[in-house]
Amino acid sequence: MSRQLWLALAILLLFPAFAKAINEDSLWVYEHYTKKEVYIPMRDGKRLFASVYLPKDNSEKHPVLMTRTPYSCAPYGEDKFKPFWNSYVLQYMKEGYIMVIEDVRGRWMSEGTFMDVRPFNPNKKGKNDIDEASDTYDTIDWLVKNLANNNGKVGVFGISYPGFYSTMAALSGHPALKAVSPQAPVTDWFQGDDFHHNGAFFVMDGFSFYTSFGKPRPQPTTVGPTDFDYYTHDNYKFYLETGSLKNLAHLMGDSIAFWKDLYAHPNLDEWWKARNIRTHLKNVQPAMLEVGGVFDAEDCFGAWNTYKAIEKQSTGTNNRIVMGPWYHGQWASKDGTHLGNVRFDSNTSEWYQQNVEIPFFDYYLKGKGAEPKIAEATIFFTGENQWKQLPQWPPADMQAKPIFLQANGRLAFNKPAGANSFSEYVSDPAKPVPYTEDVHFSRTINYMTDDQRFAARRPDVLVFETDPLTADVTLAGPLLADLVVSTTGTDADLVVKLIDVFPDDFKYEESAASEHRRVPSSTYPMGGYQMLVRGEIMRGKFRNSFEKPEPFEPGKPTPVKFSMPDVAHTFKKGHRIMVQVQSSWFPLVDRNPQKFTNIYTCDDKDFQKATIRIYHDAEHASSVQLPVVK
């Protein structure tokens, strides 16, 4: 019996109050697994560090399930175990999986130099031509040749940045790699993931992340970087008072390489294009399961678009997608019953774990049971709160149907008539529209379903809504904002929000709260709730080209079209559909000076007020194209 198990049992005997902390599952892991820490050689001579959790059961051969991460395979030390017992991953261990967590090149205890979203190299010629796919190949090759009692089958999964490394693993070409699940994978950091959406810089996430994550690590270490010392925990106040991105660069300092790269590449150039993994997703051999959250504030784009790129470019790949009503990584949690104030009527996370992910890896890595009946697209539709198994995504009966902005704040499916009709507001960078009404320090996980009534009350937010719906309206697929705008400046951001307005007398049944005990009895006034279904931003100067930005001609009506991530939502009968339009979303997104310039290097004095007009007449009709299904 291990020393850890003896210690745990002693604590249980001597201090019964600690019994809850050291439960049966943690004791089971220590009893049935051994941890090894290994250095795995790469083709160029560098070594990557990995924690390997090996079943003590030698009566059968075991599959390998691996995560590659820049966030550390801690805890370090062969006597210190990762707390798998707090996660559904424990079920993989009870099935006898060999669990491997590897520090990627240049991070934590691994050797070499780290590079953010290291580009894929499809033309490797020598041992020094490396990328994340080759590092994965070399890791898998070492594991299957050196781990006792492995069955020669390997799977890879990971969430967020580890999702990027999972996608790269799928391009490794190693014959032992049978199944891969990129989950909320970092995919395109200029178009839609994490740090940019349609060219607009998501400054709060970027700065809070790179002030710690981006610090250089010259030598392998088990000690993490220190965090930035903010003078206030009101993030709206911090970013507004700090001012321009030039000022943030001074706070960041000169040591963060990727932060300097962000500033050096303000447009979609070859540097960014090399970091778009979608273009390389061809001839993908493993079975693929892309997973993401419809309300993922970080990498919603990556899950949808990794799936679509494989579908389009990789003929014959066994490729499927799952999208639930989740924040970033919520599908791996124990609680998928709600997000913020919005309830889902069931524990969607547990359903996914038991009915999709675990059967997926069990079949492809263990040969357990018949091939799982996982649909091409397993999608949770909010509003009606139902899982749907679909043969394709978007559904075959989806039709893009424009809903038009109208005079007097109306929204309707008929195109507006008349002429010279517009709504306008003054966008003031000194008083930007907040993305949530709360005062807080960290970016919230709930804002993707937040009540938008606070924004609707501002004079610099336009509001358009339908009458109460006489029948359900179900959306399944991508949205397209199709606006005609003018500005008194030469640049402008456009934020479009699609919102579900609940009836004034709406209340959740408290029986649902008692059935799903993780959902608290809500005192929040849900009558009239304006649920954000999807919001997205477009930096106006990129309206015609992300490579070659163009200024607006002041006062000239100008088309601005941009795509928004897919939605899966039913607006129920009696609800209203609302669209809000604004020109700031702060401090989620950096402020646009509303002057055509390089925003990364401009000064505080360059920020100016602008009057924004949104047109809604016969000649200049503004709309949002909705993916309507029957």
Side-chain angles (χ1 to χ4, degrees), residues 344-394:
F344 305 136
D345 295 339
S346 65
N347 193 333
T348 59
S349 299
E350 287 185 355
W351 186 91
Y352 155 75
Q353 294 159 15
Q354 301 305 318
N355 293 280
V356 182
E357 184 189 300
I358 292 173
F360 173 78
F361 282 118
D362 277 352
Y363 177 76
Y364 290 107
L365 302 186
K366 290 178 64 72
K368 183 178 179 180
E371 184 172 3
K373 295 180 180 179
I374 302 171
E376 177 73 16
T378 302
I379 312 294
F380 189 88
F381 281 71
T382 48
E384 62 185 279
N385 287 347
Q386 296 290 330
W387 284 105
K388 296 186 180 182
Q389 285 78 35
L390 303 171
Q392 69 180 70
W393 184 265

Side-chain angles (χ1 to χ4, degrees), residues 292-295 323-327 330 336 338-339 344 348 380 382 387:
V294 174
F295 302 124
M323 295 294 289
W326 301 311
Y327 63 75
Q330 189 178 8
H338 67 290
L339 178 56
F344 305 136
T348 59
F380 189 88
T382 48
W387 284 105

Side-chain angles (χ1 to χ4, degrees), residues 50 103 117 147 164 303 307 322 349 366 391 394 416 476 512 536 548 568 615 622:
D103 290 339
V117 286
L147 296 183
F164 164 78
Y307 168 78
V322 181
S349 299
K366 290 178 64 72
E536 189 57 289
K548 298 178 180 179
Y615 293 84
S622 295

